[in-house]
């Protein structure tokens, strides 16, 4: 795409580049955060923020946008039209779901189209389509979140797994922009005012870390306590697995698949002697940087636990092991809306196979009587409840260690009949959408028999 100038044009051009990669190569494109970092490397903070906001709005409501555009373009997109689809989708997102003035969204889209040799012949078409989007914006409010804004295969899965009401509640919650949660060391009270937040009642008062949900929209690094390492960003649901492990001071703990380190920090704050494992050197470098800011120094091991025999892994056996396994991440779609459009049904089975291998490894690292918490940020039963059922069939030396209501004082409804934890994005309701919800997570606590 050649140059086009004007206020906000660089941000919009970057958003088009990112969205085009997701739309045209969903199975091959890097994560959106990586694409955004590359596309906005030369932009100032304001334009980087605008590009991210446009991409996020486009993906969060991609179903609605594509549904409306399909009605306005009965013949579909012309052949060899370059980035035209991405230009129209990002412009429609601004018109329908952002505070961008309609004329600004339309005019910048036309300029972006004219600046690309393949899209330029269709600038008039783009102008006509977007003016119709403006005229019909009110009807989008009636679009169904499950039937239109959720990929069909995911909607079918959630209906089958959780029933119609819960599937609809999930889809509605995923439309909302989430707030920011942070884990603080010790009691939340002193930090709620400093950080302009609300303490979430999701842990016993004696827990080593507590969660605060921020009201502020200020930049994270500018907030009190960031530079001193007093807290770290971590979704409320993501903070649960490490707490459920119940680490005591001095215990030997293995954190598998540890990067970027939020759970590692929790385990260290609880007094554990922690060994962090991850297969990616780059991810481990990121964990190391986060640990330096927080003043922690865990052991670090770069190893692919799915392919290495447990007896060849350095360290152990351990009193406690945390396995937050790689997964489809469908529980994080509020924060990462690209997940809904880049994952495929076949991914679930391949990821479940990987999780099973990692669970087998985790069990082999435990001392007799040792504890294991397995978790995923997935809404799919194959990666949660069914995974644990199969694991216990393979490992008669392991047993469930059920979670009790006192451990989750504000989320008792998340504990299932087996004593496992299943959170949904629709939990933690609040009158203000940004202060409601949490990631969809599964966690099970197990113990090796003596």
């Amino acid at each position: 795409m050649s140059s086009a100038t004007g206020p906000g044009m660089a941000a919009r051009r970057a958003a088009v580049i990112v969205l085009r990669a997701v739309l045209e190569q969903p199975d091959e494109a890097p994560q959106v955060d990586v694409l955004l970092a590359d596309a906005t490397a030369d932009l100032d903070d304001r334009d980087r923020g605008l590009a991210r906001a446009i991409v996020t709005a486009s993906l969060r409501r991609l179903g609605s946008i594509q549904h409306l555009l399909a009605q306005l373009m009965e013949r579909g997109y012309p052949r060899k039209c370059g980035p035209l689809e991405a230009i129209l989708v990002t412009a429609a997102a601004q018109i329908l779901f952002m505070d961008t003035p309609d004329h600004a969204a339309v005019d910048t889209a036309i300029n972006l189209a004219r600046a690309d040799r393949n899209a330029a012949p269709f600038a008039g078409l783009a102008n006509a389509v977007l003016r119709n989007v403006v005229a019909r914006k009110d009807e989008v409010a009636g679009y169904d979140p499950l039937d239109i804004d959720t990929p069909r295969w995911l909607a079918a899965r959630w209906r089958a797994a959780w029933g119609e009401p819960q599937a609809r509640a999930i889809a509605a919650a995923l439309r909302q922009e989430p707030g920011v949660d942070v884990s603080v060391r010790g009691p939340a009270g002193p930090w709620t005012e400093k950080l302009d937040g609300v303490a979430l009642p999701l842990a016993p008062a004696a827990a080593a870390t507590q969660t605060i949900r921020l009201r502020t929209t200020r930049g994270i690094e500018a907030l009190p306590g960031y530079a001193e390492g007093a807290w770290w960003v971590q979704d409320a649901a993501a903070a649960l697995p490490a707490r459920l492990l119940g680490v005591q001071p001095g215990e030997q703990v293995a954190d598998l698949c540890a990067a970027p380190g939020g759970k590692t920090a929790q385990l260290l704050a609880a007094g554990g002697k922690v060994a962090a494992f991850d297969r990616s050197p780059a991810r481990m470098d990121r964990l190391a940087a986060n640990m330096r800011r927080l003043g922690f120094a865990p052991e670090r091991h770069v190893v692919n636990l799915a392919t290495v025999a447990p007896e060849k892994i350095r360290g152990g056996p351990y009193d406690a092991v945390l396995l937050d396994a790689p997964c489809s991440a469908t529980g994080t779609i509020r924060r990462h809306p690209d997940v809904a459009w880049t994952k495929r049904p076949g991914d679930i089975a391949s990821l479940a196979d990987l999780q099973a291998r990692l669970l087998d490894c985790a069990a082999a690292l435990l001392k007799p009587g040792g504890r294991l918490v397995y978790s995923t940020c997935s809404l799919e039963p194959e990666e949660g409840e069914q995974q644990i059922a199969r694991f216990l069939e393979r490992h008669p030396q392991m047993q469930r260690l059920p979670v009790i209501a006192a451990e989750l004082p504000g989320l008792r409804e998340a504990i299932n009949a087996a004593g496992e934890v299943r959170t949904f994005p629709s939990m933690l309701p609040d009158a203000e959408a940004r202060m409601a919800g949490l990631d969809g997570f599964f966690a099970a606590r197990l113990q090796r028999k003596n």
Side-chain angles (χ1 to χ4, degrees):
M1 188 181 297
S2 59
S3 178
T5 60
M9 188 63 72
R12 290 173 170 87
R13 186 185 307 112
V16 168
I17 291 169
V18 172
L19 193 67
R20 185 181 184 185
V22 175
L23 293 175
E24 295 184 3
Q25 295 180 307
D27 299 328
E28 301 175 14
Q31 292 183 338
V32 161
D33 285 346
V34 175
L35 291 168
L36 273 166
D38 290 342
T40 63
D42 296 330
L43 304 186
D44 60 28
D45 289 346
R46 182 175 179 179
D47 275 346
R48 275 197 294 269
L50 177 57
R52 177 175 291 276
I54 293 171
V55 170
T56 301
S58 299
L59 291 168
R60 181 169 287 127
R61 298 300 300 271
L62 184 60
S64 291
I65 293 168
Q66 290 183 326
H67 185 76
L68 179 58
L69 290 177
Q71 295 179 60
L72 300 175
M73 301 177 67
E74 294 181 359
R75 297 182 180 179
Y77 290 93
R79 293 182 60 196
K80 298 182 180 179
C81 61
L84 180 64
E85 181 181 10
I87 290 171
L88 291 178
V89 170
T90 53
Q94 295 169 71
I95 294 166
L96 298 170
F97 307 116
M98 298 178 68
D99 294 330
T100 308
D102 295 341
H103 67 86
V106 175
D107 290 349
T108 52
I110 303 312
N111 288 335
L112 287 170
R114 288 172 175 163
D116 182 272
R117 66 175 186 175
N118 291 315
F122 309 105
L125 172 64
N127 181 49
V129 168
L130 291 175
R131 292 191 182 280
N132 277 322
V133 170
V134 172
R136 296 177 60 172
K137 66 166 62 176
D138 290 343
E139 73 182 59
V140 176
Y143 287 177
D144 186 272
L146 185 61
D147 292 332
I148 292 182
D149 271 326
T150 306
R152 289 182 180 179
W153 71 274
L154 270 180
R157 276 186 146 273
W158 296 343
R159 282 183 165 112
W162 312 118
E164 185 75 15
Q166 185 62 262
R168 291 196 166 279
I170 292 169
L174 295 181
R175 275 186 172 181
Q176 305 302 321
E177 179 182 0
V180 175
D181 297 339
V182 300
S183 289
V184 299
R185 305 188 203 197
W191 286 101
T192 53
E193 185 174 349
K194 292 179 184 178
L195 295 173
D196 186 19
V198 176
L200 298 182
L202 304 184
T209 59
Q210 301 285 338
T211 297
I212 294 176
R213 179 156 293 173
L214 305 185
R215 292 192 185 93
T216 182
T217 56
R218 290 170 57 194
I220 292 296
E221 295 182 8
L223 294 176
Y226 176 84
E228 297 82 3
W231 50 265
W232 53 94
V233 175
Q234 186 177 33
D235 184 82
L240 299 179
R243 292 196 189 117
L244 296 176
L245 198 56
V247 169
Q248 300 300 307
E251 284 192 315
Q252 300 288 334
V253 185
D255 183 9
L256 312 185
C257 310
K263 297 175 182 68
T264 311
Q266 288 181 276
L267 300 172
L268 288 160
K273 296 180 179 179
V274 180
F277 294 82
D278 204 279
R279 71 175 184 174
S280 164
R283 284 171 57 83
M284 189 58 81
D285 287 345
R286 182 181 174 194
L287 180 145
N290 288 333
M291 293 300 103
R292 284 193 295 272
R293 179 178 69 83
L294 298 173
F296 291 132
E299 291 181 28
R300 301 194 306 274
H301 304 284
V302 176
V303 58
N304 188 341
L305 297 168
T307 60
V308 175
E311 61 269 19
K312 294 185 178 180
I313 296 172
R314 293 172 57 190
Y318 294 94
D319 298 297
V321 174
L322 176 61
L323 172 57
D324 184 33
C327 68
S328 62
T330 53
T332 70
I333 292 173
R334 291 186 320 144
R335 300 187 185 280
H336 305 289
D338 55 303
V339 167
W341 307 101
T342 57
K343 298 297 183 184
R344 296 291 181 263
D347 295 336
I348 308 299
S350 60
L351 285 163
D353 180 69
L354 171 61
Q355 293 151 10
R357 296 199 304 274
L358 291 171
L359 265 168
D360 293 343
C361 176
L365 296 176
L366 279 175
K367 293 178 180 178
R371 308 177 307 284
L372 165 64
V373 167
Y374 166 82
S375 63
T376 60
C377 54
S378 167
L379 291 169
E380 316 316 310
E382 296 94 324
E383 300 181 89
E385 294 85 350
Q386 294 175 20
Q387 184 69 260
I388 292 301
R390 292 191 296 269
F391 171 78
L392 290 172
E393 290 176 358
R394 295 195 306 275
H395 294 275
Q397 79 279 18
M398 299 293 297
Q399 62 187 0
R400 284 191 178 89
L401 194 59
V403 178
I404 62 174
E407 296 179 87
L408 294 180
L411 269 181
R412 298 184 180 192
E413 71 275 20
I415 303 174
N416 67 20
E420 301 161 339
V421 176
R422 165 62 71 186
T423 65
F424 293 102
S426 51
M427 289 178 171
L428 293 186
D430 192 277
E432 184 181 349
R434 197 171 174 275
M435 299 299 287
L438 73 170
D439 285 352
F441 246 83
F442 172 84
R445 186 170 57 199
L446 307 160
Q447 186 172 37
R448 187 182 185 91
K449 299 175 185 177
N450 288 316

